[in-house]
Amino acid sequence: MQKRHADVVIIGAGTAGMTAYRAASRAGKKAILVEGGPFGTTCARVGCMPSKLLIAAAEAAHTARHTAAFGVHVDGTIRIDGKEVMQRVKAERDRFVGFVISDVEGFPADDKVLGYAKFIDDQTVQVDDHTQIRASSFVIATGSSPFAPPELQAAGDRLIFNDDVFEWDDLPNSIVVIGAGVIGLELGQALSRLGVQTTLLNRSDTVGGISDPMVREAARKAFCDEFNLQGNAKVTATELVGNQVVVHYEQNGNAQQVKADYVLSAAGRMPNLKKLSLENTSAVLNEKGMPAFDKNTLLIDNTSIFFAGDVNHLHPILHEAADDGAQSGKNAAQWPATPEPVRRRASMGVVFTDPQIMRVGAAYRDLNENEIRIGEVDFSSQGRSRVMLKNCGRLRVYADKSTDRFLGAEMLGPAAEHMAHLLAWCLQMQLTIDQMLAMPFYHPVIEEGLRTALRGARR
């Protein structure tokens, strides 16, 4: 057993871990990065990038099928080659992962230890059976993993997660997706557009995390018109029948079932904590093994351990994980100085469906309707959207009644990813509705729809 010492040990070499390592190293401290799995972040390997590659292929197929309205007729059958689709997804995915691996390879060899770390005590971790490292402080950045509810377990090898999709060599004929959150909606719609018979089951009537009832209804209509999205569908059991899986579910008191080649669990993700043996530290753990920690500084109570990235289950988004890692690495390097809080940017979230979904700042559910003014726009009649035949969706913006300050927005519609950035910048600058309306709006652009909604909020 090799015995080593460091100022800071970072467990996990994803986005948060790599950023924490750089921050601690820049502070002049000896930092050791421990990784038990393959290098390459969740985003690059199984998340943001491969999913967008699949979505891009799906958008190409969808566009090719819907040209006639423009007077452009594509003669013959649109042929989707699943093997070619997945070949590009994997090749480009590997390219993105390669950039991350190249970064890690640039770290000094002495600063990297391969294997799974577990805590022996508050100041010591053991990596597999070969290395013990004693340090003044630690950063846990082990990320999260998808999980499947118990009622899906009987599906056996026909039960898959988003990670598995990006290892396919070809597309299946059919799939059942469980969960209408970000992952379920994005993959469900993409696979449907690529010719996979897709059924998406969600236990509630929510769609993509939308809380505004008018935006949510617009989303339900848009997606239900395109593929088989079933809300208020509670899965009760699964069973294997030959080479397929049968998913049993209840909907409005009626027993239903659907058969497919695979069932994809997009029911959520769990923090990767089991292998860490946090019970050997002074951390206070709940019944799920989650430690109590300061949500501002990310310091685990009673310890010198910081909790960064998806593992803390606060803001499971890449740029938030990077911010977590940067501040945690700095705080760990300065230990035992009082840690500084993570400087949060204006919150936003985007779902890369078509139409896209976005939320900025306060969601509808977070607000008291008696204290706000709401402005909205229906994109069915918005000029540029109609030009492009992307005229679907609704934007609702929320402003404080007393101060006129912009508070947040929810949207389903075209170019929502760009609208999200525009509104997030306004929110971070603490602009009022009048100040936002004083900004320039070109013509004809989708952003003119935002001006309509802002004018409604001002009235």
Side-chain angles (χ1 to χ4, degrees):
M1 181 72 67
Q2 184 182 14
K3 302 290 182 72
R4 299 189 61 183
H5 289 80
D7 296 308
V8 183
V9 170
I10 298 99
I11 305 171
T15 298
M18 291 172 64
T19 310
Y21 167 81
R22 293 189 183 101
S25 298
R26 279 197 302 269
K29 299 296 184 178
K30 174 61 177 178
I32 293 179
L33 184 64
V34 180
E35 175 57 67
F39 289 114
T41 63
T42 294
C43 173
R45 190 177 289 279
V46 296
C48 321
M49 304 314 292
S51 66
K52 302 311 166 285
L53 287 161
L54 194 70
I55 289 168
E59 288 178 348
H62 184 74
T63 299
R65 293 190 190 101
H66 293 82
T67 61
F70 295 99
V72 178
H73 299 277
V74 178
D75 295 327
T77 303
I78 304 299
R79 184 175 63 87
I80 297 170
D81 189 314
K83 291 183 179 179
E84 290 182 8
V85 169
M86 295 312 302
Q87 183 179 29
R88 179 176 187 265
V89 168
K90 291 192 287 186
E92 288 295 309
R93 181 272 314 272
D94 292 347
R95 180 172 174 270
F96 289 120
V97 171
F99 294 146
V100 179
I101 293 174
S102 179
D103 285 346
V104 175
E105 288 175 345
F107 300 160
D110 189 57
D111 291 357
K112 295 176 286 189
V113 176
L114 300 181
Y116 288 97
K118 66 178 180 180
F119 282 89
I120 303 302
D121 55 43
D122 283 335
Q123 306 303 143
T124 312
V125 292
Q126 180 171 314
V127 183
D128 289 347
D129 58 359
H130 54 73
T131 307
Q132 281 191 359
I133 312 171
R134 191 163 181 81
S136 300
S137 58
F138 301 81
V139 178
I140 293 175
T142 48
S144 63
S145 298
F147 78 96
E151 54 268 22
L152 299 183
Q153 301 295 337
D157 63 0
R158 294 284 142 177
L159 170 62
I160 63 169
F161 303 98
N162 59 295
D163 306 36
D164 303 309
V165 169
F166 307 121
E167 297 301 328
W168 282 343
D169 293 323
D170 199 352
L171 295 170
N173 292 318
S174 57
I175 194 166
V176 178
V177 180
I178 308 299
V182 176
I183 295 172
L185 268 184
E186 288 186 352
L187 293 184
Q189 184 184 49
L191 291 171
S192 176
R193 288 184 167 187
L194 288 168
V196 180
Q197 184 178 336
T198 302
T199 301
L200 197 157
L201 304 178
N202 196 52
R203 64 181 301 132
S204 69
D205 64 351
T206 59
V207 181
I210 301 169
S211 69
D212 189 304
M214 297 187 71
V215 180
R216 185 170 61 233
E217 185 54 36
R220 283 196 58 78
K221 184 177 187 310
F223 296 129
C224 287
D225 285 350
E226 184 175 340
F227 62 96
N228 188 16
L229 170 61
Q230 299 291 330
N232 297 311
K234 180 183 177 183
V235 177
T236 55
T238 52
E239 61 175 324
L240 287 173
V241 178
N243 291 325
Q244 291 191 306
V245 58
V246 178
V247 179
H248 298 271
Y249 63 99
E250 291 181 356
Q251 186 179 45
N252 302 321
N254 299 316
Q256 309 277 357
Q257 68 177 45
V258 58
K259 183 188 292 186
D261 294 333
Y262 293 98
V263 56
L264 167 63
S265 178
R269 298 179 69 89
M270 296 289 289
N272 292 328
L273 295 172
K274 289 184 178 179
K275 296 181 180 180
L276 292 172
S277 298
L278 281 171
E279 65 275 8
N280 294 333
T281 72
S282 300
V284 178
L285 308 179
N286 65 17
E287 66 279 359
K288 295 182 179 179
M290 193 75 167
F293 67 100
D294 186 314
K295 291 179 174 55
N296 294 312
T297 65
L298 308 183
L299 177 65
I300 295 178
D301 295 357
N302 307 322
T303 74
S304 59
I305 306 169
F306 294 87
F307 208 39
D310 289 5
V311 70
N312 65 36
H313 220 50
L314 292 178
H315 308 281
I317 303 172
L318 182 138
H319 69 271
E320 298 279 9
D323 289 346
D324 279 10
Q327 191 59 57
S328 293
K330 181 180 178 182
N331 285 336
Q334 295 174 346
W335 185 262
T338 302
E340 300 174 12
V342 180
R343 293 181 61 185
R344 295 294 178 196
R345 308 164 200 251
S347 67
M348 63 174 166
V350 177
V351 184
F352 292 87
T353 48
D354 179 23
Q356 292 182 336
I357 297 168
M358 75 84 179
R359 177 202 52 78
V360 166
Y364 178 86
R365 62 172 167 265
D366 301 325
L367 300 168
N368 182 336
E369 195 161 349
N370 295 322
E371 299 173 355
I372 62 172
R373 284 182 282 118
I374 300 176
E376 65 180 270
V377 61
D378 183 338
F379 283 99
S380 63
S381 299
Q382 200 275 324
R384 181 66 187 280
S385 302
R386 287 192 67 88
V387 166
M388 300 185 297
L389 288 180
K390 296 286 187 181
N391 52 317
C392 175
R394 187 179 293 266
L395 164 66
R396 301 245 285 174
V397 298
Y398 318 120
D400 187 282
K401 267 186 181 178
S402 59
T403 66
D404 195 41
R405 277 262 310 273
F406 170 64
L407 299 175
E410 293 189 48
M411 173 183 174
L412 170 91
E417 60 183 293
H418 305 299
M419 201 78 83
H421 282 82
L422 184 64
L423 290 174
W425 295 346
C426 293
L427 182 66
Q428 190 152 317
M429 295 172 67
Q430 301 183 6
L431 298 186
T432 65
I433 298 298
D434 279 342
Q435 288 172 324
M436 294 166 71
L437 280 168
M439 299 294 182
F441 289 84
Y442 206 78
H443 174 78
V445 294
I446 291 171
E447 284 77 7
E448 287 178 297
L450 169 60
R451 182 174 60 187
T452 300
L454 293 173
R455 285 173 172 170
R458 182 170 62 183
R459 286 194 297 271

